[in-house]
């Protein structure tokens, strides 16, 4: 009946995934504090996030990307399908180093799209597979484990293996997402200085905001990898 412990409380889960959950919590805290710190200072150029984004798009001759105000807090993203840069109200209207830094990071994704940066193309290609993986992998893993252990159907273990494979798509997505995010941030910092939107001293503060944001992606990737290892240890290992 170890399956009961597995569903309700399994200390092994925390042995596997605990370190990643701690790093994720730390990253969240760092993002909040770096974002608040960057919000204390206005960029010396005096541009808003939206104006910064437009200035960079113009400098690169990217004319097919529009900038919209998104409704959600920290919901900033670039939509490669519709060629839209959506910026949260704080980033869209804000003139702070946090607003300008986040806006430039999102334009970094638009530039990646414009230049057909391979990791971004691969990441976008993986989106449907990864979202199916996240939706169905756990259902298949649980069904496989329950059928094979409880119902004494050893063959059902393969259902769990298929679930693990699907979850693998999520892990691959998270891994390929890392170079995409790091590259967008390094482009952003370089362009902001080139365009004279922030000074070298201001870049240090922008860097802290963007590095903290990158850490949340590292934590998400680690969580996905360790979660997969945890489920693999149950599916393939004998824990009775
Ligand atoms: Zn990004």
């Amino acid at each position: 009946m170890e399956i009961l412990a597995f569903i309700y409380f399994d200390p092994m889960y925390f042995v596997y995934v605990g370190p990643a959950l701690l790093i994720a919590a730390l990253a969240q805290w760092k993002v909040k504090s770096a974002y608040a710190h960057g919000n204390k200072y206005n960029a010396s150029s005096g541009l808003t996030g939206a104006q910064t984004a437009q200035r960079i798009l113009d400098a690169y001759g990217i004319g097919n990307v529009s900038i919209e105000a998104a409704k959600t807090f920290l919901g900033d993203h670039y939509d490669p399908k519709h060629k839209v840069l959506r910026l949260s109200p704080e980033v869209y209207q804000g003139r702070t180093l946090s607003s300008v830094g986040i806006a430039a990071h999102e334009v970094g994704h638009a530039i990646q799209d414009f230049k057909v940066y391979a990791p971004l193309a691969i990441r976008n290609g993986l989106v449907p597979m990864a979202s199916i993986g996240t939706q169905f992998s756990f259902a298949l893993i649980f069904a496989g484990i329950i059928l094979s252990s409880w119902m004494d159907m050893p063959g059902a273990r393969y259902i769990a293996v298929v679930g693990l494979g699907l979850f693998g798509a999520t892990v691959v997505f998270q891994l390929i997402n890392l170079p995409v995010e790091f590259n967008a941030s390094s482009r952003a910092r370089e362009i902001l200085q080139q365009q004279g939107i922030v000074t070298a001293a201001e870049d240090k503060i922008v860097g802290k905001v963007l590095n903290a944001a990158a850490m949340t992606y590292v934590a998400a990737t680690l969580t996905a990898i360790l979660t997969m290892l945890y489920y693999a240890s149950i599916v393939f290992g004998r824990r009775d």
Side-chain angles (χ1 to χ4, degrees):
M1 282 286 153
E2 99 269 20
I3 194 85
L4 268 180
F6 160 73
I7 290 173
Y8 293 111
F9 178 76
D10 180 5
M12 283 309 284
Y13 175 77
F14 294 98
V15 172
Y16 274 87
V17 190
L21 295 179
L22 273 177
I23 293 171
L26 185 72
Q28 281 301 327
W29 173 77
K30 278 203 80 164
V31 163
K32 269 190 196 142
S33 71
Y35 182 74
H37 182 67
N39 263 340
K40 285 187 198 155
Y41 309 95
N42 277 3
S44 51
S45 60
L47 297 179
T48 64
Q51 288 165 343
T52 299
Q54 192 58 58
R55 164 91 69 97
I56 299 170
L57 289 174
D58 292 344
Y60 276 78
I62 304 174
N64 63 342
V65 170
S66 55
I67 302 167
E68 287 176 4
K71 287 160 200 84
T72 43
F73 176 70
L74 290 183
D76 309 270
H77 68 279
Y78 170 66
D79 173 353
K81 202 169 156 196
H82 302 101
K83 312 280 177 209
V84 179
L85 202 69
R86 294 196 185 90
L87 302 176
S88 58
E90 292 79 7
V91 171
Y92 190 93
Q93 303 156 5
R95 296 172 200 276
T96 68
L97 291 175
S98 288
S99 298
V100 163
I102 291 168
H105 169 93
E106 298 307 333
V107 190
H109 289 308
I111 297 170
Q112 288 172 338
D113 186 27
F114 180 69
K115 294 198 166 178
V116 199
Y117 174 68
L120 181 78
I122 298 168
R123 186 190 80 167
N124 293 342
L126 282 171
V127 168
M129 189 65 185
S131 60
I132 292 171
T134 332
Q135 277 176 357
F136 295 110
S137 57
F138 288 115
L140 291 175
I141 291 168
F142 280 109
I145 290 171
I146 288 168
L147 287 175
S148 61
S149 318
W150 274 11
M151 312 292 176
D152 206 23
M153 294 165 63
R157 181 166 285 232
Y158 292 107
I159 298 173
V161 175
V162 170
L164 269 179
L166 269 179
F167 193 70
T170 308
V171 172
V172 172
F173 175 84
Q174 296 279 6
L175 280 171
I176 199 84
N177 192 36
L178 291 180
V180 173
E181 294 302 335
F182 279 97
N183 175 270
S185 286
S186 63
R187 278 178 203 267
R189 292 178 64 184
E190 210 180 294
I191 298 162
L192 283 174
Q193 288 195 76
Q194 265 173 17
Q195 294 290 315
I197 298 168
V198 304
T199 63
E202 291 171 340
D203 169 66
K204 292 214 168 64
I205 297 171
V206 171
K208 279 192 181 144
V209 175
L210 297 183
N211 287 343
M215 207 174 135
T216 65
Y217 290 108
V218 173
T221 308
L222 248 157
T223 305
I225 292 171
L226 294 176
T227 303
M228 183 156 163
L229 285 177
Y230 167 70
Y231 284 110
S233 79
I234 293 170
V235 173
F236 294 114
R238 292 198 59 87
R239 308 247 322 264
D240 45 14

